Amino acid sequence: MEYDVNNLNKKSIMKFAIPSALGVFIFLFPLPWNGSVNIPIGILSEWLAALIAPVAPTLITVFILISAIMTAITSLLKPKAILDNKLLSKLFTSSPFYLFFKIIGAVVVLMVYFNVGPEYVISGDTGGTMLSLLKTLVAWFFAASFLIPLLMDFGIMDYTGTLVRNFTQPLFKLPGRSAIDLLASWVGNCNVGVVLTTTQYEQGYYTAREAITIATCFSAVSLPFCLVIAALLKVDHLFIPFYAILTITGILSVVIMTRIPPLSKYPNEYYAPVGKQVNEVEPQGITKSQWALKLAVERAAAAPDVKGVLNKGIDMFLGIVFQLTPLVMSFGTIACILATYTPIFQWLSVPFGYYLQMLGVEEAFAAAPATIVGFVDMFLPAVLAANIVSLKTRFIIGILSLVQIIYMTEVGTLMITSKMPVDFKGVLALFLEKTIIALPIIVLLTNIFGIA
């Protein structure tokens, strides 16, 4: 087969290059902002969150109520007008399991919004936290829904995928196109990273195993949040080694986890309704860079126009607010109630107390609950560990909480409600395995860096 890269005209290359460069800048480029560092999508999302703050609780409550009511009507009455409409059917068709939790989410959000009901449901540690969290999430998802196509549809993932597959495949057992996804997931917002990953799976660009690997191992929290956690634990003066150890631990844990169960047991198969839609291996007679450019330009040529991007953005955003927000409200509130008002995490953390003790961590049993409560929310470990005397132990717990990244208030729920073949037990198993693997790496690197 012969291929002449010169056959590509300047206009077709620009259609790939300009939107892709803009997407890389928006999702990956760090900028100084308000005395810290942030990426443009983060700055835009924070501005949107502040803009809608006065009406956000009302909007979220309305979204959740509409979702619960319409899903109940669809499930019980099966109206033809909804079932025959592609968008409405997608938004309001649900299994009995998710219908139940959507109704729970609606009840909880009403109680929080009107400040009525038991304190353990509406307090600032449980339902109140979730409503506040959703205000931020909605702003992030609104911005990302309309901007993610710059990364997905204009060729940058195809271009980088072909060039770096010899690095990502042997190291992480992931296709080359995941490189942009990995970076976007690592430096940006973890929820946006999961949405990007699940969308790529549903479009036939990742296998189930690849998508679950990226979602559970690379959807890290944003750099500004890492600073917040470090400051809360009073280790922010050590932020450079803090973030360095976080990054090294994240990479090493992925290398290990991709080669053992449960990740290695997930099907290495593409989403059945669409099948495989990617080919990163260049044919004979074509250089890797030529093949990368060809794939990128072809992807950009098939990209939607402005109207198409807006329609896709609306579809994605509506799917998130009507399908995800009630589940985040219900799952997150239940998890926060268990963490705040029951001793269950203290009981469950006893084995980790012995594990920390074996690793030589000071105040091991005082720190133990913080090692597993991150399954509820990534902020809780820092709250529990804030009063630990040992700086080194606080340092270790802070890094662990940011490496775990599989928590039910956001990432876990996103994964479970996606089309990826992973359920609650699978998410829990991955969280525990990552915790067990990451802890000794963190302790070892902390010793090497001389943190005391």
Side-chain angles (χ1 to χ4, degrees), residues 143-219:
S145 294
F146 295 95
L147 294 173
I148 272 183
L150 294 173
L151 289 183
M152 293 195 307
D153 296 337
F154 289 89
I156 187 61
M157 297 184 80
D158 304 83
Y159 185 78
T160 57
T162 302
L163 295 180
V164 304
R165 64 181 168 78
N166 289 342
F167 168 76
T168 58
Q169 183 60 46
L171 192 59
F172 303 132
K173 295 189 178 295
L174 294 172
R177 70 180 290 109
S178 68
I180 290 293
D181 194 348
L182 303 186
L183 288 172
S185 299
W186 189 260
V187 238
N189 180 275
C190 50
N191 307 294
V192 173
V194 174
V195 170
L196 174 59
T197 302
T198 55
T199 303
Q200 289 287 287
Y201 168 66
E202 291 165 15
Q203 292 180 354
Y205 297 110
Y206 295 150
T207 66
R209 185 189 304 170
E210 291 165 352
I212 295 168
T213 298
I214 297 168
T216 55
C217 296
F218 285 98
S219 296

Side-chain angles (χ1 to χ4, degrees), residues 63 65-75 82-83 86-95 99 102 318 322-323:
F63 286 146
L65 286 176
I66 291 174
S67 176
I69 292 169
M70 294 301 294
T71 303
I73 290 173
T74 303
S75 299
I82 293 178
L83 295 177
K86 184 178 179 181
L87 177 60
L88 294 179
S89 176
K90 175 184 172 183
L91 295 179
F92 303 122
T93 300
S94 179
S95 68
L99 171 60
K102 281 187 175 185
L318 290 178
F322 287 121
Q323 293 180 313

Side-chain angles (χ1 to χ4, degrees), residues 1-8 285-286 290-291 293-294:
M1 175 180 177
E2 294 184 358
Y3 172 67
D4 182 6
V5 72
N6 294 320
N7 287 338
L8 297 176
I286 301 177
Q290 287 176 328
W291 184 243
L293 185 60
K294 176 180 184 296

Side-chain angles (χ1 to χ4, degrees), residues 104-408:
I104 294 293
V107 172
V108 170
V109 80
L110 281 174
M111 292 169 69
V112 174
Y113 185 76
F114 290 107
N115 197 33
V116 295
E119 179 67 15
Y120 64 83
V121 175
I122 66 174
S123 80
D125 295 321
T126 54
T129 291
M130 295 314 303
L131 184 56
S132 178
L133 179 64
L134 281 172
K135 291 188 289 186
T136 305
L137 282 182
V138 166
W140 267 97
F141 285 133
F142 182 81
S145 294
F146 295 95
L147 294 173
I148 272 183
L150 294 173
L151 289 183
M152 293 195 307
D153 296 337
F154 289 89
I156 187 61
M157 297 184 80
D158 304 83
Y159 185 78
T160 57
T162 302
L163 295 180
V164 304
R165 64 181 168 78
N166 289 342
F167 168 76
T168 58
Q169 183 60 46
L171 192 59
F172 303 132
K173 295 189 178 295
L174 294 172
R177 70 180 290 109
S178 68
I180 290 293
D181 194 348
L182 303 186
L183 288 172
S185 299
W186 189 260
V187 238
N189 180 275
C190 50
N191 307 294
V192 173
V194 174
V195 170
L196 174 59
T197 302
T198 55
T199 303
Q200 289 287 287
Y201 168 66
E202 291 165 15
Q203 292 180 354
Y205 297 110
Y206 295 150
T207 66
R209 185 189 304 170
E210 291 165 352
I212 295 168
T213 298
I214 297 168
T216 55
C217 296
F218 285 98
S219 296
V221 297
S222 64
L223 189 60
F225 189 82
C226 293
L227 281 164
V228 169
I229 294 298
L232 179 63
L233 292 169
K234 298 181 176 64
V235 296
D236 45 321
H237 61 291
L238 299 168
F239 188 72
I240 292 177
F242 184 90
Y243 198 76
I245 294 173
L246 164 64
T247 302
I248 296 168
T249 303
I251 292 171
L252 291 178
S253 62
V254 183
V255 171
I256 296 168
M257 289 178 66
T258 53
R259 288 160 171 79
I260 60 175
L263 275 181
S264 65
K265 294 297 184 182
Y266 281 103
N268 202 28
E269 298 170 357
Y270 291 89
Y271 185 47
V274 295
K276 183 178 180 180
Q277 300 292 321
V278 60
N279 178 23
E280 295 176 350
V281 181
E282 67 276 8
Q284 284 187 326
I286 301 177
T287 67
K288 188 177 294 186
S289 59
Q290 287 176 328
W291 184 243
L293 185 60
K294 176 180 184 296
L295 292 179
V297 168
E298 287 178 349
R299 174 71 56 200
D305 56 15
V306 174
K307 182 181 177 182
V309 168
L310 290 176
N311 287 337
K312 286 182 69 173
I314 292 169
D315 187 74
M316 181 180 290
F317 180 68
L318 290 178
I320 289 168
V321 295
F322 287 121
Q323 293 180 313
L324 184 66
T325 52
L327 298 176
V328 169
M329 193 74 203
S330 57
F331 291 168
T333 301
I334 292 168
C336 287
I337 289 172
L338 292 175
T340 307
Y341 292 97
T342 76
I344 187 168
F345 285 98
Q346 291 181 341
W347 297 340
L348 295 174
S349 70
V350 171
F352 281 95
Y354 288 107
Y355 190 42
L356 290 171
Q357 192 175 62
M358 183 184 72
L359 293 171
V361 177
E362 297 176 12
E363 301 177 76
F365 286 93
T371 63
I372 64 168
V373 76
F375 186 63
V376 176
D377 185 77
M378 62 182 173
F379 195 66
L380 292 178
V383 173
L384 293 185
N387 293 322
I388 289 176
V389 176
S390 169
L391 180 145
K392 184 176 179 179
T393 301
R394 297 197 307 272
F395 188 91
I396 290 168
I397 294 299
I399 294 172
L400 177 67
S401 70
L402 296 168
V403 169
Q404 288 171 323
I405 63 175
I406 310 167
Y407 48 97
M408 290 308 298

